[in-house]
Amino acid sequence: MSNINENKMENNNELLLKFGSLIKESDINFQIPDELMLCFIYARKRDVQRAMKLLKNYLRVMKNYPELFTDLRSERVKHVLDLGHLLASPIRDQNGSRVFIINARNWDVRRCSLEDVYSAVVFCFQMMVSEIETQSKGVVGIMDFQDFALHQIRHFTPSFLKKVADLIQDVFPIRLKGIHIVNEPRIMKILVAMIWPFLSNKIRNRLFFHGSCFKTLHHHVDPSCLPSNYDGCLGPMSSMHFSSVFFEEDYYSNIFECLN
């Protein structure tokens, strides 16, 4: 086991040297810690050329959408996390992926705006991808739209949906293994039609709609890591707050802080 760990460390050091050289040759003029460089490297299966392209894309989106990334600290997103709209399963799925749930139930735009929720999602992505296992095994997303109404949908403008598509496609150093939509009302077809042109075929093929049929969800995500709300083996969603898995003291060691 020690030999395996030593070989992995040697491989990582070699990859870091190559990636660091590419960064020095670019117009990036600030220090990026090794842990963060590895996030981008693992997100592109250790291909440093593709990792460099991903890093440049990330910096470009940061520049284009400063309202999402500027001063992105726990204090800024705490009220969204406290409302229980963003959840994480304490158990990984059958493939070792982290299970992340966006819970749109009871979303009150007067208490937190759509931009607030999206910034909190970016923050959660940063925390999840800081885990070494998640860097290689990725994330499975579940989006719950139970009781979603027309007055909520109107906040999803085409420009906002493009922003969402930009982030999840070749920008964030996270491997999205699947996006599962549950409890969606019929009016969700409006949102799907609006965002569809912005999605790559790769993301389209990883997007699944289950309605309230959780058996089809179980074909993709093992019930052992799902809340009882989805006929899973764990407790209710209310017990799966993000801060229950990623403790608040960990927020202050966010490896993305040099970019935020």
Side-chain angles (χ1 to χ4, degrees), residues 172-187:
F172 207 91
I174 200 165
R175 299 170 69 180
L176 274 174
K177 297 295 189 177
I179 303 171
H180 300 272
I181 313 297
V182 299
N183 293 322
E184 70 275 16
R186 290 183 179 180
I187 56 174

Side-chain angles (χ1 to χ4, degrees), residues 71-207:
D71 196 32
L72 188 55
R73 304 176 192 278
S74 59
E75 295 86 357
R76 181 179 163 192
V77 301
K78 187 177 186 303
H79 69 293
V80 181
L81 299 180
D82 288 345
L83 288 169
H85 291 307
L86 303 177
L87 313 169
S89 174
I91 308 295
R92 292 178 179 273
D93 79 352
Q94 66 277 12
N95 300 312
S97 301
R98 175 65 72 191
V99 178
F100 179 61
I101 301 173
I102 298 178
N103 172 28
R105 299 181 181 196
N106 304 315
W107 171 48
D108 186 347
V109 70
R110 294 168 299 182
R111 300 184 68 184
C112 65
S113 69
L114 188 57
E115 292 287 351
D116 288 340
V117 175
Y118 195 35
S119 292
V121 169
V122 174
F123 178 83
C124 291
F125 273 16
Q126 291 181 350
M127 296 305 301
M128 289 188 291
V129 82
S130 299
E131 300 178 299
I132 294 174
E133 187 171 0
T134 304
Q135 290 170 13
S136 56
K137 299 297 178 65
V139 170
V140 169
I142 298 174
M143 302 181 71
D144 190 335
F145 287 98
Q146 183 169 317
D147 299 324
F148 213 64
L150 191 59
H151 74 273
Q152 293 166 311
I153 280 186
R154 69 181 179 83
H155 293 277
F156 290 80
T157 62
S159 60
F160 178 83
L161 292 171
K162 185 179 186 307
K163 191 187 301 185
V164 172
D166 281 349
L167 189 74
I168 63 175
Q169 297 178 127
D170 296 322
V171 168
F172 207 91
I174 200 165
R175 299 170 69 180
L176 274 174
K177 297 295 189 177
I179 303 171
H180 300 272
I181 313 297
V182 299
N183 293 322
E184 70 275 16
R186 290 183 179 180
I187 56 174
M188 275 298 296
K189 291 179 180 179
I190 299 172
L191 276 187
V192 174
M194 288 170 66
I195 197 172
W196 199 257
F198 302 129
L199 299 178
S200 66
N201 287 333
K202 180 179 178 180
I203 293 295
R204 290 175 182 177
N205 291 334
R206 294 184 182 183
L207 190 60

Side-chain angles (χ1 to χ4, degrees), residues 3 8 14 47 57 97 101 142 222 229 233 242 250 260:
N3 288 336
K8 185 175 181 180
E14 185 178 341
D47 184 328
N57 287 347
S97 301
I101 301 173
I142 298 174
D222 195 274
N229 307 70
C233 302
F242 193 81
D250 295 334
N260 295 343

